[in-house]
mmCIF file of all heavy atoms in Angstrom:
data_model
loop_
_atom_site.group_PDB
_atom_site.id
_atom_site.type_symbol
_atom_site.label_atom_id
_atom_site.label_comp_id
_atom_site.label_asym_id
_atom_site.label_seq_id
_atom_site.Cartn_x
_atom_site.Cartn_y
_atom_site.Cartn_z
ATOM 1 N N THR V 374 -12.552 11.255 2.034
ATOM 2 C CA THR V 374 -12.201 10.122 1.160
ATOM 3 C C THR V 374 -10.711 9.788 1.277
ATOM 4 O O THR V 374 -10.351 8.608 1.320
ATOM 5 C CB THR V 374 -12.558 10.433 -0.310
ATOM 6 O OG1 THR V 374 -13.952 10.784 -0.391
ATOM 7 C CG2 THR V 374 -12.284 9.233 -1.195
ATOM 8 N N ALA V 375 -9.857 10.819 1.309
ATOM 9 C CA ALA V 375 -8.431 10.598 1.390
ATOM 10 C C ALA V 375 -8.072 9.895 2.690
ATOM 11 O O ALA V 375 -7.262 8.938 2.692
ATOM 12 C CB ALA V 375 -7.696 11.938 1.300
ATOM 13 N N LEU V 376 -8.649 10.311 3.794
ATOM 14 C CA LEU V 376 -8.366 9.667 5.083
ATOM 15 C C LEU V 376 -8.888 8.250 5.134
ATOM 16 O O LEU V 376 -8.230 7.350 5.678
ATOM 17 C CB LEU V 376 -8.973 10.502 6.222
ATOM 18 C CG LEU V 376 -8.290 11.834 6.533
ATOM 19 C CD1 LEU V 376 -9.075 12.596 7.607
ATOM 20 C CD2 LEU V 376 -6.848 11.600 6.987
ATOM 21 N N ASP V 377 -10.063 8.024 4.565
ATOM 22 C CA ASP V 377 -10.633 6.698 4.524
ATOM 23 C C ASP V 377 -9.729 5.729 3.772
ATOM 24 O O ASP V 377 -9.362 4.670 4.296
ATOM 25 C CB ASP V 377 -12.014 6.738 3.856
ATOM 26 C CG ASP V 377 -12.698 5.385 3.754
ATOM 27 O OD1 ASP V 377 -12.228 4.446 4.417
ATOM 28 O OD2 ASP V 377 -13.663 5.267 2.981
ATOM 29 N N ILE V 378 -9.338 6.093 2.577
ATOM 30 C CA ILE V 378 -8.487 5.215 1.753
ATOM 31 C C ILE V 378 -7.086 5.106 2.366
ATOM 32 O O ILE V 378 -6.485 4.014 2.418
ATOM 33 C CB ILE V 378 -8.401 5.757 0.300
ATOM 34 C CG1 ILE V 378 -9.780 5.721 -0.324
ATOM 35 C CG2 ILE V 378 -7.445 4.925 -0.509
ATOM 36 C CD1 ILE V 378 -9.843 6.330 -1.713
ATOM 37 N N GLY V 379 -6.532 6.225 2.860
ATOM 38 C CA GLY V 379 -5.186 6.187 3.437
ATOM 39 C C GLY V 379 -5.108 5.273 4.666
ATOM 40 O O GLY V 379 -4.189 4.444 4.766
ATOM 41 N N LEU V 380 -6.053 5.394 5.580
ATOM 42 C CA LEU V 380 -6.041 4.523 6.775
ATOM 43 C C LEU V 380 -6.320 3.079 6.408
ATOM 44 O O LEU V 380 -5.731 2.158 7.022
ATOM 45 C CB LEU V 380 -7.105 5.029 7.786
ATOM 46 C CG LEU V 380 -6.804 6.334 8.504
ATOM 47 C CD1 LEU V 380 -8.023 6.792 9.289
ATOM 48 C CD2 LEU V 380 -5.579 6.176 9.412
ATOM 49 N N SER V 381 -7.170 2.843 5.423
ATOM 50 C CA SER V 381 -7.431 1.468 4.969
ATOM 51 C C SER V 381 -6.178 0.821 4.455
ATOM 52 O O SER V 381 -5.862 -0.346 4.823
ATOM 53 C CB SER V 381 -8.544 1.453 3.910
ATOM 54 O OG SER V 381 -9.756 1.953 4.431
ATOM 55 N N ASN V 382 -5.451 1.520 3.576
ATOM 56 C CA ASN V 382 -4.213 0.939 3.076
ATOM 57 C C ASN V 382 -3.145 0.802 4.154
ATOM 58 O O ASN V 382 -2.362 -0.166 4.143
ATOM 59 C CB ASN V 382 -3.682 1.840 1.942
ATOM 60 C CG ASN V 382 -4.558 1.768 0.685
ATOM 61 O OD1 ASN V 382 -5.274 0.816 0.483
ATOM 62 N ND2 ASN V 382 -4.477 2.773 -0.154
ATOM 63 N N TRP V 383 -3.105 1.749 5.079
ATOM 64 C CA TRP V 383 -2.151 1.713 6.160
ATOM 65 C C TRP V 383 -2.367 0.475 7.058
ATOM 66 O O TRP V 383 -1.390 -0.137 7.529
ATOM 67 C CB TRP V 383 -2.293 2.982 6.976
ATOM 68 C CG TRP V 383 -1.106 3.305 7.866
ATOM 69 C CD1 TRP V 383 -0.050 2.507 8.176
ATOM 70 C CD2 TRP V 383 -0.895 4.526 8.558
ATOM 71 N NE1 TRP V 383 0.812 3.153 9.011
ATOM 72 C CE2 TRP V 383 0.308 4.405 9.299
ATOM 73 C CE3 TRP V 383 -1.621 5.728 8.654
ATOM 74 C CZ2 TRP V 383 0.830 5.426 10.068
ATOM 75 C CZ3 TRP V 383 -1.113 6.770 9.446
ATOM 76 C CH2 TRP V 383 0.088 6.627 10.137
ATOM 77 N N SER V 384 -3.608 0.072 7.222
ATOM 78 C CA SER V 384 -3.899 -1.037 8.118
ATOM 79 C C SER V 384 -3.370 -2.362 7.616
ATOM 80 O O SER V 384 -3.185 -3.304 8.402
ATOM 81 C CB SER V 384 -5.440 -1.146 8.288
ATOM 82 O OG SER V 384 -6.065 -1.568 7.086
ATOM 83 N N PHE V 385 -3.087 -2.454 6.292
ATOM 84 C CA PHE V 385 -2.584 -3.705 5.735
ATOM 85 C C PHE V 385 -1.188 -4.051 6.287
ATOM 86 O O PHE V 385 -0.741 -5.195 6.122
ATOM 87 C CB PHE V 385 -2.547 -3.662 4.209
ATOM 88 C CG PHE V 385 -3.894 -3.944 3.579
ATOM 89 C CD1 PHE V 385 -4.515 -2.989 2.793
ATOM 90 C CD2 PHE V 385 -4.499 -5.165 3.763
ATOM 91 C CE1 PHE V 385 -5.745 -3.251 2.217
ATOM 92 C CE2 PHE V 385 -5.726 -5.434 3.166
ATOM 93 C CZ PHE V 385 -6.359 -4.465 2.399
#
Side-chain angles (χ1 to χ4, degrees):
T374 304
L376 288 175
D377 179 15
I378 297 176
L380 288 172
S381 297
N382 290 338
W383 198 349
S384 69
F385 278 118

